[in-house]
PDB file of all heavy atoms in Angstrom:
ATOM      1  N   THR A  82       8.136  11.850  -1.826  1.00  0.00           N
ATOM      2  CA  THR A  82       8.190  10.553  -1.145  1.00  0.00           C
ATOM      3  C   THR A  82       7.701   9.515  -2.149  1.00  0.00           C
ATOM      4  O   THR A  82       6.529   9.150  -2.155  1.00  0.00           O
ATOM      5  CB  THR A  82       7.290  10.547   0.111  1.00  0.00           C
ATOM      6  OG1 THR A  82       7.609  11.669   0.923  1.00  0.00           O
ATOM      7  CG2 THR A  82       7.500   9.274   0.921  1.00  0.00           C
ATOM      8  N   PRO A  83       8.580   9.061  -3.031  1.00  0.00           N
ATOM      9  CA  PRO A  83       8.120   8.186  -4.107  1.00  0.00           C
ATOM     10  C   PRO A  83       7.554   6.860  -3.606  1.00  0.00           C
ATOM     11  O   PRO A  83       8.071   6.271  -2.665  1.00  0.00           O
ATOM     12  CB  PRO A  83       9.373   7.954  -4.949  1.00  0.00           C
ATOM     13  CG  PRO A  83      10.522   8.391  -4.117  1.00  0.00           C
ATOM     14  CD  PRO A  83      10.009   9.293  -3.056  1.00  0.00           C
ATOM     15  N   LEU A  84       6.476   6.463  -4.251  1.00  0.00           N
ATOM     16  CA  LEU A  84       5.947   5.124  -4.033  1.00  0.00           C
ATOM     17  C   LEU A  84       6.811   4.150  -4.823  1.00  0.00           C
ATOM     18  O   LEU A  84       7.207   4.438  -5.960  1.00  0.00           O
ATOM     19  CB  LEU A  84       4.505   5.028  -4.516  1.00  0.00           C
ATOM     20  CG  LEU A  84       3.449   5.519  -3.542  1.00  0.00           C
ATOM     21  CD1 LEU A  84       2.157   5.825  -4.260  1.00  0.00           C
ATOM     22  CD2 LEU A  84       3.206   4.472  -2.468  1.00  0.00           C
ATOM     23  N   ILE A  85       7.105   2.999  -4.235  1.00  0.00           N
ATOM     24  CA  ILE A  85       7.945   2.013  -4.920  1.00  0.00           C
ATOM     25  C   ILE A  85       7.268   1.572  -6.222  1.00  0.00           C
ATOM     26  O   ILE A  85       7.912   1.421  -7.244  1.00  0.00           O
ATOM     27  CB  ILE A  85       8.247   0.819  -3.993  1.00  0.00           C
ATOM     28  CG1 ILE A  85       8.963   1.300  -2.718  1.00  0.00           C
ATOM     29  CG2 ILE A  85       9.061  -0.239  -4.720  1.00  0.00           C
ATOM     30  CD1 ILE A  85      10.223   2.123  -2.922  1.00  0.00           C
ATOM     31  N   ASN A  86       5.953   1.376  -6.189  1.00  0.00           N
ATOM     32  CA  ASN A  86       5.173   1.211  -7.414  1.00  0.00           C
ATOM     33  C   ASN A  86       4.502   2.556  -7.670  1.00  0.00           C
ATOM     34  O   ASN A  86       3.823   3.077  -6.791  1.00  0.00           O
ATOM     35  CB  ASN A  86       4.110   0.119  -7.264  1.00  0.00           C
ATOM     36  CG  ASN A  86       4.730  -1.253  -7.203  1.00  0.00           C
ATOM     37  OD1 ASN A  86       5.630  -1.572  -7.952  1.00  0.00           O
ATOM     38  ND2 ASN A  86       4.240  -2.068  -6.286  1.00  0.00           N
ATOM     39  N   PRO A  87       4.689   3.125  -8.854  1.00  0.00           N
ATOM     40  CA  PRO A  87       4.163   4.474  -9.120  1.00  0.00           C
ATOM     41  C   PRO A  87       2.654   4.568  -8.910  1.00  0.00           C
ATOM     42  O   PRO A  87       1.924   3.598  -9.133  1.00  0.00           O
ATOM     43  CB  PRO A  87       4.529   4.717 -10.588  1.00  0.00           C
ATOM     44  CG  PRO A  87       5.573   3.720 -10.922  1.00  0.00           C
ATOM     45  CD  PRO A  87       5.364   2.547 -10.009  1.00  0.00           C
ATOM     46  N   PRO A  88       2.162   5.744  -8.492  1.00  0.00           N
ATOM     47  CA  PRO A  88       0.729   5.924  -8.247  1.00  0.00           C
ATOM     48  C   PRO A  88      -0.161   5.535  -9.424  1.00  0.00           C
ATOM     49  O   PRO A  88      -1.207   4.924  -9.228  1.00  0.00           O
ATOM     50  CB  PRO A  88       0.597   7.418  -7.936  1.00  0.00           C
ATOM     51  CG  PRO A  88       1.932   7.810  -7.409  1.00  0.00           C
ATOM     52  CD  PRO A  88       2.917   6.950  -8.165  1.00  0.00           C
ATOM     53  N   ASP A  89       0.261   5.849 -10.661  1.00  0.00           N
ATOM     54  CA  ASP A  89      -0.590   5.500 -11.801  1.00  0.00           C
ATOM     55  C   ASP A  89      -0.690   3.988 -11.985  1.00  0.00           C
ATOM     56  O   ASP A  89      -1.735   3.469 -12.357  1.00  0.00           O
ATOM     57  CB  ASP A  89      -0.130   6.206 -13.079  1.00  0.00           C
ATOM     58  CG  ASP A  89       1.301   5.897 -13.464  1.00  0.00           C
ATOM     59  OD1 ASP A  89       2.102   5.480 -12.605  1.00  0.00           O
ATOM     60  OD2 ASP A  89       1.637   6.090 -14.652  1.00  0.00           O
ATOM     61  N   LEU A  90       0.372   3.263 -11.693  1.00  0.00           N
ATOM     62  CA  LEU A  90       0.337   1.803 -11.768  1.00  0.00           C
ATOM     63  C   LEU A  90      -0.572   1.239 -10.674  1.00  0.00           C
ATOM     64  O   LEU A  90      -1.373   0.335 -10.924  1.00  0.00           O
ATOM     65  CB  LEU A  90       1.747   1.218 -11.638  1.00  0.00           C
ATOM     66  CG  LEU A  90       1.824  -0.303 -11.634  1.00  0.00           C
ATOM     67  CD1 LEU A  90       1.371  -0.872 -12.966  1.00  0.00           C
ATOM     68  CD2 LEU A  90       3.234  -0.751 -11.306  1.00  0.00           C
ATOM     69  N   LEU A  91      -0.462   1.781  -9.453  1.00  0.00           N
ATOM     70  CA  LEU A  91      -1.327   1.322  -8.362  1.00  0.00           C
ATOM     71  C   LEU A  91      -2.794   1.606  -8.671  1.00  0.00           C
ATOM     72  O   LEU A  91      -3.660   0.771  -8.399  1.00  0.00           O
ATOM     73  CB  LEU A  91      -0.916   1.988  -7.047  1.00  0.00           C
ATOM     74  CG  LEU A  91       0.403   1.490  -6.450  1.00  0.00           C
ATOM     75  CD1 LEU A  91       0.805   2.349  -5.271  1.00  0.00           C
ATOM     76  CD2 LEU A  91       0.310   0.035  -6.051  1.00  0.00           C
ATOM     77  N   ALA A  92      -3.088   2.759  -9.254  1.00  0.00           N
ATOM     78  CA  ALA A  92      -4.469   3.090  -9.615  1.00  0.00           C
ATOM     79  C   ALA A  92      -4.986   2.113 -10.665  1.00  0.00           C
ATOM     80  O   ALA A  92      -6.115   1.606 -10.565  1.00  0.00           O
ATOM     81  CB  ALA A  92      -4.558   4.524 -10.112  1.00  0.00           C
ATOM     82  N   TRP A  93      -4.183   1.831 -11.672  1.00  0.00           N
ATOM     83  CA  TRP A  93      -4.575   0.894 -12.723  1.00  0.00           C
ATOM     84  C   TRP A  93      -4.825  -0.491 -12.121  1.00  0.00           C
ATOM     85  O   TRP A  93      -5.835  -1.134 -12.395  1.00  0.00           O
ATOM     86  CB  TRP A  93      -3.483   0.822 -13.791  1.00  0.00           C
ATOM     87  CG  TRP A  93      -3.692  -0.267 -14.798  1.00  0.00           C
ATOM     88  CD1 TRP A  93      -4.514  -0.229 -15.892  1.00  0.00           C
ATOM     89  CD2 TRP A  93      -3.082  -1.561 -14.799  1.00  0.00           C
ATOM     90  NE1 TRP A  93      -4.448  -1.426 -16.567  1.00  0.00           N
ATOM     91  CE2 TRP A  93      -3.564  -2.260 -15.919  1.00  0.00           C
ATOM     92  CE3 TRP A  93      -2.161  -2.195 -13.966  1.00  0.00           C
ATOM     93  CZ2 TRP A  93      -3.175  -3.553 -16.217  1.00  0.00           C
ATOM     94  CZ3 TRP A  93      -1.770  -3.485 -14.270  1.00  0.00           C
ATOM     95  CH2 TRP A  93      -2.278  -4.152 -15.381  1.00  0.00           C
TER      96      TRP A  93
END
Side-chain angles (χ1 to χ4, degrees):
T82 308
L84 277 160
I85 301 306
N86 289 317
D89 58 339
L90 177 65
L91 288 172
W93 171 81

